[in-house]
Amino acid sequence: MTTPLAGSAFDSLRLDAVPDQEALRRAYEFPREAAVRKQMTELTEKTRRLISCSSLVLVASADAEGNCDVSPRGGPAGFVAVLDARTVAIPDATGNKRLDTLQNVVATGRAGLLFVIPGRTTTLRVNGRACVSTRPELLSQLTAVGKPPASALVLGIEEVYPHCPKSLLRSAAWKPEQWLPADAQPTSAEVTLAQLRMPELSIADIERAEADSLKYRYE
């Protein structure tokens, strides 16, 4: 369970935070009709095509106590299978084996997806019921990452919503000329070493472990 932060900026800001949905709505204009109307309960031919072009999907979930998590899933374009107009399946390629997302889905039966297409600003939000399946006949179809996965996250669609591209435009995510230089941020190994808090390890140890892990990224 997540431990509440003590004496943080959050503790101060929550004292006069927006108290309810009515107060929140007063801070904004109402959405335009199109923003409401474009939400659907099943996939169209066009949103199926978007999913077939996506090589990255962010999966949002929460456990029974409401602790939230967002985890990325990646593979070749179209690695997420569209089973029918209201069902998609995401193969669970081997990762760190923490199973945070899958455990959350088993606990609550809910998940949210955000499909991303590299180089494009169109994204697709898909929310709904969720389950984890190990049915062999399903897993045998989900071999985009090289072999059948140990399980699949299956989402029963309740909401499909093509998201506004403004966030990706503002971030210049697909414009290399606006990216920060590599040395402007800590490396993955540096971040991991600080997180582990194990003085016996060195940067070189972490870099070797990361390199070995990436050799077998599809297994």
Side-chain angles (χ1 to χ4, degrees), residues 99-152:
L99 307 184
D100 295 318
T101 298
L102 300 183
Q103 290 181 125
N104 288 349
V105 167
V106 168
T108 66
R110 307 289 301 178
L113 310 179
L114 180 67
F115 288 93
V116 179
I117 302 170
R120 300 292 179 265
T121 57
T122 300
T123 57
L124 185 70
R125 284 166 41 185
V126 180
N127 304 316
R129 299 171 298 152
C131 66
V132 177
S133 176
T134 57
R135 187 180 295 182
E137 56 265 38
L138 171 63
L139 302 184
S140 66
Q141 303 175 46
L142 306 178
T143 58
V145 295
K147 64 178 183 179
S151 72

Side-chain angles (χ1 to χ4, degrees), residues 3 6-7 9 18 20 22 26 31 40-41 53 56 90 97 119 146-147 149 159 170 190 193 219:
T3 302
V18 177
D20 53 44
E22 290 184 0
R26 287 197 295 271
M40 296 184 64
T41 59
C53 293
L56 176 66
I90 305 173
K97 301 180 179 66
K147 64 178 183 179
E159 297 176 346
R170 292 175 182 136
E190 289 170 337
L193 184 63
E219 297 184 4

Side-chain angles (χ1 to χ4, degrees), residues 32-111:
R32 296 179 180 177
E33 181 183 0
V36 177
R37 186 177 177 82
K38 68 180 179 178
Q39 178 178 314
M40 296 184 64
T41 59
E42 62 183 32
L43 298 173
T44 65
E45 186 270 334
K46 299 299 183 185
T47 50
R48 283 178 182 243
R49 286 182 59 192
L50 281 179
I51 292 174
S52 74
C53 293
S54 176
S55 58
L56 176 66
V57 59
L58 307 181
V59 184
S61 62
D63 66 17
E65 285 73 47
N67 299 302
C68 299
D69 181 74
V70 177
S71 179
R73 297 289 190 273
F79 78 104
V80 175
V82 176
L83 303 183
D84 59 41
R86 299 193 66 179
T87 315
V88 297
I90 305 173
D92 190 60
T94 300
N96 57 24
K97 301 180 179 66
R98 284 175 51 115
L99 307 184
D100 295 318
T101 298
L102 300 183
Q103 290 181 125
N104 288 349
V105 167
V106 168
T108 66
R110 307 289 301 178

